[in-house]
Amino acid sequence: MAAEAPFVTIGKQFADFYYQTFDTNRHGLAPIYQNDSMLTFENEQFQGQAAIVQKLSNLSFKQVRHQITTIDCQPTMADGVIVFVLGQLLVDDQPQPLQFTQVFALKPSGAPGQYYCYNDLFRLALH
């Protein structure tokens, strides 16, 4: 079996860290964002690390668990990585999971092998 492309490894490792941290300590996501980062969360936009972490930390649910269905990654210009995630959210005591999609654009941070989340787009798949 062929080795996984480096951009796939980067994207999957980022997604694993993101969802594990989101599910246990949303404030712990601060280091992955910088002042030029942007989050679009259900059609609301937030610019910069502080605004993004404040939004994520103040979501209305108390408990959440992400179940990832697929993660697709591609390289982008300037050595970045785009990560597309499809999955389900188990929120508080709701019996039915919520479907979601999320896209991350990762940008090199300057240090070798280090990336930060430049763009983060989240949407529940509600019809």
Side-chain angles (χ1 to χ4, degrees), residues 11 14-16 18-19 22 29 32-33 38-39 56 66 68 71-74 76 80-85 100-107 116-122:
F14 174 86
D16 287 345
Y18 179 89
Y19 294 115
F22 190 104
L29 293 172
I32 69 167
Y33 297 104
M38 178 170 269
L39 166 68
L56 297 178
H66 290 81
I68 305 308
I71 299 174
D72 297 310
C73 306
Q74 291 186 355
T76 64
V81 177
I82 192 153
V83 183
F84 177 82
V85 180
F100 78 94
T101 59
Q102 193 160 13
V103 176
F104 302 101
L106 307 180
K107 188 174 177 181
Y116 73 97
C117 185
Y118 182 70
N119 298 104
D120 179 352
L121 297 99
F122 176 89

Side-chain angles (χ1 to χ4, degrees), residues 7-125:
F7 62 86
V8 173
T9 302
I10 291 163
K12 286 181 176 180
Q13 286 176 346
F14 174 86
D16 287 345
F17 172 81
Y18 179 89
Y19 294 115
Q20 186 173 41
T21 305
F22 190 104
D23 292 355
T24 58
N25 174 22
R26 286 177 254 165
H27 289 286
L29 293 172
I32 69 167
Y33 297 104
Q34 292 187 9
N35 288 334
D36 62 345
S37 298
M38 178 170 269
L39 166 68
T40 301
F41 189 93
E42 293 292 318
N43 210 34
E44 289 183 274
Q45 293 187 332
F46 303 88
Q47 179 83 45
Q49 181 188 57
I52 293 169
V53 173
Q54 180 178 8
K55 172 61 179 176
L56 297 178
S57 297
N58 291 318
L59 293 171
S60 62
F61 48 79
K62 292 185 180 5
Q63 294 180 328
V64 64
R65 187 166 51 97
H66 290 81
Q67 292 181 330
I68 305 308
T69 305
T70 61
I71 299 174
D72 297 310
C73 306
Q74 291 186 355
T76 64
M77 296 178 289
D79 298 320
V81 177
I82 192 153
V83 183
F84 177 82
V85 180
L86 175 67
Q88 297 180 327
L89 289 173
L90 297 163
V91 178
D92 293 328
D93 294 327
Q94 290 183 358
Q96 292 295 329
L98 301 169
Q99 308 295 318
F100 78 94
T101 59
Q102 193 160 13
V103 176
F104 302 101
L106 307 180
K107 188 174 177 181
S109 67
Q114 299 294 310
Y115 293 81
Y116 73 97
C117 185
Y118 182 70
N119 298 104
D120 179 352
L121 297 99
F122 176 89
R123 178 71 68 171
L124 289 173

